[in-house]
Amino acid sequence: LDSSEGKTCRQKLALLRQRLREYWRAVLGRRLDKRTAEEQDWMRCRLTCRVWTAFIGFGLSRILSQQLRVLFGGERQYPEIDATAIVMATAGFLLQLMPTLLNPRSLDPWYIVTSLLLNLTFVRSEIDAREAFILLHGLQTIVATLAKRTRCSIFCAGLTSAQILWMSQEQGIQFLEGEQQGPILLIFLIPIVLMCSLRRLLHENAVLKMDLQRRTVEL
């Protein structure tokens, strides 16, 4: 009985390890099937275009609302993020005017360049480091989901974290002290969990699509 129970336990552990390997291959982008990999890359390109189309709407609405406030004698709200809105709208328009600019080979360069541009808009900004953290971390997580290689996401996330730490030191802000510790950790962890889940979902979607195509051809 002991030997049979031990054998069953080893089988369960082996199955668990296999499932974990499959999960991290999906999250990290390590795909075995070439056609599935190509389909997933083109899926990321299409979704990236849609995301930046939404960014156009955000950027234009932000710029228009600021102009209307000034026109009617009001004060601008959070003028520190105006440059960010302009960059988002401009990059989105560029992608709409030149859709061939984005393909599986240029997906990661596009992600890195746009991420660095968004970071640059906060270099000389007087925005609070905590607000910059929420905005930049949220934007990075959205676009990092569609990056082709995980190491590109890690690279840009590292630069963003370094920038936020530098801003907090300049402003004398301690992120992980007092009552701010819990909310800051949640804001940091929740988008990362969502990013991993969405990358897994993209992988499963591409695998399912290619599997359906193969079954259709066989029939």
Side-chain angles (χ1 to χ4, degrees):
L1 291 177
D2 293 337
S3 61
S4 62
E5 290 179 357
K7 183 177 180 181
T8 303
C9 184
R10 287 192 296 272
Q11 290 176 348
K12 290 182 179 180
L13 289 175
L15 180 60
L16 178 61
R17 286 195 297 268
Q18 181 181 356
R19 290 181 177 177
L20 287 175
R21 282 196 298 267
E22 292 175 354
Y23 173 79
W24 285 112
R25 283 174 182 170
V27 172
L28 298 176
R30 296 176 181 172
R31 300 167 297 276
L32 300 177
D33 187 86
K34 183 177 179 180
R35 292 183 60 191
T36 304
E38 293 176 352
E39 174 61 28
Q40 184 171 357
D41 290 341
W42 281 110
M43 189 181 301
R44 286 193 174 115
C45 292
R46 293 190 293 269
L47 290 174
T48 299
C49 290
R50 294 174 183 174
V51 167
W52 282 95
T53 300
F55 284 171
I56 292 175
F58 169 79
L60 290 181
S61 62
R62 168 70 188 178
I63 296 170
L64 181 60
S65 64
Q66 292 289 72
Q67 295 300 320
L68 289 175
R69 285 182 179 275
V70 174
L71 182 63
F72 289 102
E75 295 184 356
R76 297 163 61 193
Q77 288 187 341
Y78 298 104
E80 299 88 357
I81 64 174
D82 287 347
T84 306
I86 293 173
V87 168
M88 293 172 69
T90 303
F93 274 124
L94 179 64
L95 203 56
Q96 292 295 319
L97 295 174
M98 302 176 62
T100 57
L101 186 66
L102 197 64
N103 56 64
R105 295 184 62 184
S106 64
L107 193 59
D108 283 340
W110 171 267
Y111 164 67
I112 294 174
V113 170
T114 51
S115 296
L116 292 178
L117 287 175
L118 291 174
N119 285 15
L120 286 176
T121 60
F122 288 90
V123 171
R124 304 294 297 177
S125 175
E126 297 180 358
I127 189 172
D128 188 282
R130 289 161 293 196
E131 296 174 352
F133 167 75
I134 295 173
L135 183 59
L136 278 177
H137 185 55
L139 291 174
Q140 287 276 6
T141 304
I142 293 173
V143 294
T145 303
L146 302 174
K148 183 177 178 179
R149 296 176 179 86
T150 306
R151 57 178 175 268
C152 295
S153 304
I154 296 174
F155 170 74
C156 292
L159 288 180
T160 300
S161 299
Q163 181 177 354
I164 296 299
L165 289 175
W166 172 76
M167 292 175 64
S168 64
Q169 290 179 355
E170 291 290 320
Q171 299 173 8
I173 297 174
Q174 298 295 329
F175 271 91
L176 300 179
E177 287 188 359
E179 298 178 354
Q180 299 177 356
Q181 183 175 2
I184 290 294
L185 287 175
L186 284 177
I187 293 172
F188 181 77
L189 292 175
I190 290 176
I192 293 178
V193 173
L194 289 176
M195 181 190 71
C196 293
S197 300
L198 289 174
R199 289 181 70 90
R200 172 70 180 182
L201 183 61
L202 285 174
H203 174 83
E204 294 294 340
N205 195 2
V207 170
L208 179 60
K209 183 176 180 179
M210 297 305 299
D211 186 58
L212 289 175
Q213 290 182 1
R214 294 190 187 99
R215 293 178 183 272
T216 303
V217 172
E218 291 176 358
L219 292 175

